[in-house]
Amino acid sequence: MIKKIQRLSVFAIFGLSLTACGGGGGGDGSSSASQGNSQNNSQSTLCAIANTHALTAVALNGTAGSAQFSGSGSVLTYSGALSGSLSLVKDSSAAAPFNAACLDASGSATSMRTAMQSSGPFGVSHTSVSGVDQAAFLIDSTALVSNSSVSVLQGTYTMLRYQNDTGTTPAQTRMSYVTFTIDSVGNWSMCKNAPTCSPATASGNFVATSGSSNSFDLASAGLVRAKAFLVGSGANTTLVVAEHDTGGVGVVTGIWFAVPQTTWNPAATSFVTNSSDAIEQALSLTASSISANGQSHAITGNSPVTGLASTTLSDGTVTYFLSGPAGLLVDGHNTANNFANGPAYLQFGIAP
């Protein structure tokens, strides 16, 4: 049974309550349609996405596989650990940036958006994992950095993580912000929900994934906990991590996003986003505000750590925002700031 909960999305920032289907690391496709963004298009115009490269796809629950557009962008087909395909039509009735996005041609009013950057490596879509429709992040495989040396990972990152933990009854979702550090030989450590900590919250090492030329295994205590994918270099780096950790009481799965830890100063632009509640929306970001549906709310940069922005909702819950140098936006929170067991909310998107 899917439990109805009061979910605090960005809409709650603007005083609009949003009740959606939560739980278990993904929506089930029964959540409400995008607020204020019409999906009543004619569905007569096929989606046109120019990217023809093989894509790496990471679902909300950390399942990683492959995907590829065909038919000039009208079909997105998943393979590997992900399966199925989407027939896509252009969302031509919507305002920017959704006019650069596409919808599932099935006509579902709750279908999440599919979009790919016109001049960048990232996209967003959705995929079915074990019968559950989940938001998915797409990466152009030609942009992935080679794993021939773990030194390419070196740096200090600001990270947002979304996790689903089956070791509790019922399973719990949670979100955390992290200061994540990797040295020149692949050793990593993290400070969870803090700018610094001693000792580290967790630590381990990276190695190249066997049989892969562009993914890294994130290990700790001799066990592989996740796979990581790197795009860009230096200040333009984006790290995407697909978690599947079997080292605890249950299995912890999820998706992590990290960018180099630099002062919050994002480019002012708009984003197409999908979320853990299968809610899709357009967000506009500046260094000091976040906007949706024509309403704007102030955010505070470099709070609570360098590279994040945050705002406090009317009930005291804090929402966190991460902006990537390659046109990425991630935001999330734990209801009532309950970092131990959530429930959590995450949405991620790209500037198309």
Side-chain angles (χ1 to χ4, degrees):
M1 178 183 296
I2 297 172
K3 181 182 179 181
K4 285 274 190 177
I5 64 172
Q6 184 70 22
R7 183 68 86 192
L8 298 168
S9 78
V10 164
F11 291 118
I13 296 174
F14 311 121
L16 303 175
S17 64
L18 172 65
T19 301
C21 294
D28 70 336
S30 62
S31 55
S32 65
S34 174
Q35 308 287 322
N37 290 292
S38 172
Q39 294 195 34
N40 296 320
N41 54 65
S42 65
Q43 298 198 354
S44 61
T45 305
L46 293 178
C47 182
I49 293 177
N51 192 299
T52 59
H53 298 147
L55 307 172
T56 292
V58 181
L60 181 74
N61 76 337
T63 301
S66 301
Q68 188 157 21
F69 288 101
S70 60
S72 300
S74 63
V75 177
L76 177 60
T77 303
Y78 292 95
S79 58
L82 300 172
S83 60
S85 65
L86 299 175
S87 295
L88 301 170
V89 292
K90 190 171 179 59
D91 194 3
S92 56
S93 68
F98 274 165
N99 59 4
C102 300
L103 291 167
D104 190 338
S106 66
S108 170
T110 61
S111 175
M112 288 183 276
R113 297 305 203 287
T114 296
M116 199 79 195
Q117 291 177 321
S118 59
S119 58
F122 298 139
V124 289
S125 188
H126 57 110
T127 184
S128 180
V129 180
S130 299
V132 177
D133 197 32
Q134 297 186 4
F137 192 69
L138 307 176
I139 307 170
D140 188 324
S141 63
T142 65
L144 290 171
V145 175
S146 168
N147 62 11
S148 58
S149 173
V150 293
S151 64
V152 296
L153 296 167
Q154 183 177 6
T156 299
Y157 298 83
T158 300
M159 175 183 286
L160 288 181
R161 301 192 305 168
Y162 179 86
Q163 298 174 298
N164 181 58
D165 187 354
T166 66
T168 61
T169 303
Q172 293 281 359
T173 58
R174 57 179 179 260
M175 193 282 304
S176 56
Y177 62 88
V178 173
T179 300
F180 195 79
T181 304
I182 310 172
D183 69 15
S184 62
V185 293
N187 297 311
W188 64 265
S189 62
M190 72 166 63
C191 289
K192 179 181 176 182
N193 300 324
T196 61
C197 58
S198 183
T201 305
S203 61
N205 66 291
F206 282 100
V207 297
T209 302
S210 178
S212 170
S213 62
N214 53 29
S215 71
F216 301 85
D217 288 345
L218 182 154
S220 181
L223 182 67
V224 174
R225 315 282 177 151
K227 291 193 183 302
F229 303 93
L230 183 71
V231 173
S233 61
N236 293 317
T237 298
T238 303
L239 185 66
V240 181
V241 179
E243 182 178 18
H244 186 87
D245 186 352
T246 59
V249 175
V251 179
V252 179
T253 61
I255 190 169
W256 312 355
F257 294 94
V259 298
Q261 190 170 83
T262 58
T263 301
W264 172 262
N265 187 30
T269 190
S270 296
F271 299 84
V272 173
T273 69
N274 293 326
S275 78
S276 56
D277 276 346
I279 296 297
E280 62 291 332
Q281 61 184 336
L283 300 180
S284 294
L285 179 71
T286 72
S288 59
S289 67
I290 187 81
S291 302
N293 303 320
Q295 299 185 60
S296 182
H297 192 84
I299 55 177
T300 302
N302 301 304
S303 171
V305 299
T306 299
L308 287 183
S310 63
T311 193
T312 302
L313 308 183
S314 58
D315 70 345
T317 295
V318 181
T319 296
Y320 306 93
F321 301 91
L322 177 73
S323 178
L328 167 71
L329 177 66
V330 186
D331 79 83
H333 59 250
N334 293 279
T335 300
N337 297 334
N338 186 347
F339 288 108
N341 56 14
Y345 176 87
L346 188 83
Q347 71 177 341
F348 49 82
I350 52 103

